[in-house]
Amino acid sequence: MTTAVGGAGLAPDHLPALLFGPHGVEGLTRIRPDVYAADGDLFQVLFPPLTADVLSYYLPYQ
């Protein structure tokens, strides 16, 4: 995608940090030079910062 039409881009090795990390897309665009999002509001909603363990929602308590 290109930023001229409202896209976003990131290196493949930053994908887990985008999906499961505590920074979200806004934080990654600040700390990584190869991550960008043209429409910041849309991508902040799609990829918010996650501060909890994702697996804890799916694993039963023992």
Side-chain angles (χ1 to χ4, degrees):
M1 290 186 178
T2 132
T3 59
V5 293
L10 73 147
D13 56 337
H14 297 310
L15 187 60
L18 176 67
L19 296 176
F20 305 114
H23 301 294
V25 72
E26 182 182 6
L28 284 177
T29 57
R30 281 195 316 255
I31 61 176
R32 301 287 185 196
D34 57 347
V35 176
Y36 64 90
D39 187 5
D41 293 336
L42 173 66
F43 290 106
Q44 286 177 15
V45 171
L46 292 175
F47 303 108
L50 297 177
T51 56
D53 182 15
V54 176
L55 292 177
S56 66
Y57 297 115
Y58 301 108
L59 297 176
Y61 292 106
Q62 293 183 6

